[in-house]
Amino acid sequence: MGRAKVDLHQTSHALNLKLANYGGGAYATVCKALVTKASVFIPAFTPYILALYKVMKAQGTHETCIEQMQRLFSDKLYNPQGVPVDGERLLRIDEYELASDVQEQVSTLMGQMNEENFKSVGDYAGYKQEFLQLNGFDIEGVDYNQEFDFEELVSLKP
């Protein structure tokens, strides 16, 4: 992933130079840790996100993917004072996650977590719900026990 991030950063600089001629800009964004189809395969990610979600939900700073993107646009990209970037010209949306008190609490929870207590120490229920919903399951209002005609589904064309 490190090389992909470097390439993204370099590409955003190149695009920014081109777009500047038209009053535009390009930015690479650093987001908070989220449950995605790819992130669940990162080693040591799951214990971290279980602890992070528990802490951030308790503080009222937890954001889902869509909530974070809403804040990205409303508070960062369309900021009347200009787009707030860091010293590397990165647009940071991970400031709630990286707050020192959040990281201290996450570290404490991770130190307490093991294979027997991870469901109670971390936010396993929230993690599982986000993963299921990301993959089309556990959606409110959907009856997963309802009968369906598989042949009819096969005949549907996009």
Side-chain angles (χ1 to χ4, degrees):
M1 257 183 17
R3 293 178 73 98
K5 287 181 180 181
V6 168
D7 184 60
L8 174 65
H9 201 180
Q10 290 173 342
T11 301
S12 76
H13 284 309
L15 287 172
N16 191 60
L17 291 172
K18 291 179 181 182
L19 292 171
N21 295 326
Y22 305 98
Y27 306 94
T29 303
V30 181
C31 299
K32 93 171 234 231
L34 293 166
V35 176
T36 67
K37 290 187 178 207
S39 69
V40 298
F41 296 103
I42 300 171
F45 174 78
T46 300
Y48 175 78
I49 200 98
L50 294 178
L52 179 68
Y53 276 26
K54 184 153 194 168
V55 171
M56 292 185 76
K57 285 180 179 180
Q59 289 189 353
T61 57
H62 172 71
E63 295 170 315
T64 61
C65 291
I66 194 70
E67 290 167 329
Q68 191 171 155
M69 292 303 100
Q70 170 62 35
R71 187 165 62 88
L72 170 67
F73 281 87
S74 64
D75 295 359
K76 307 288 181 172
L77 289 172
Y78 292 102
N79 187 320
Q81 287 79 39
V83 179
V85 293
D86 69 6
E88 297 180 49
R89 238 188 107 271
L90 293 170
L91 216 163
R92 306 293 303 221
I93 198 81
D94 60 350
E95 67 269 26
Y96 298 162
E97 174 186 359
L98 297 181
S100 59
D101 63 318
V102 170
Q103 287 300 302
E104 287 172 22
Q105 291 177 57
V106 166
S107 181
T108 299
L109 288 178
M110 286 182 65
Q112 297 169 356
M113 198 178 299
N114 61 45
E115 63 276 354
E116 291 155 6
N117 68 8
F118 68 93
K119 290 182 180 181
S120 60
V121 171
D123 182 24
Y124 176 75
Y127 173 86
K128 181 179 177 183
Q129 182 182 30
E130 280 197 33
F131 182 79
L132 287 171
Q133 289 177 345
L134 179 67
N135 290 285
F137 299 98
D138 199 26
I139 308 292
E140 189 175 324
V142 175
D143 180 1
Y144 294 97
N145 294 316
Q146 184 176 352
E147 294 289 324
F148 65 93
D149 182 351
F150 188 76
E151 294 303 320
E152 183 181 340
L153 288 176
V154 170
S155 71
L156 295 175
K157 304 245 190 268

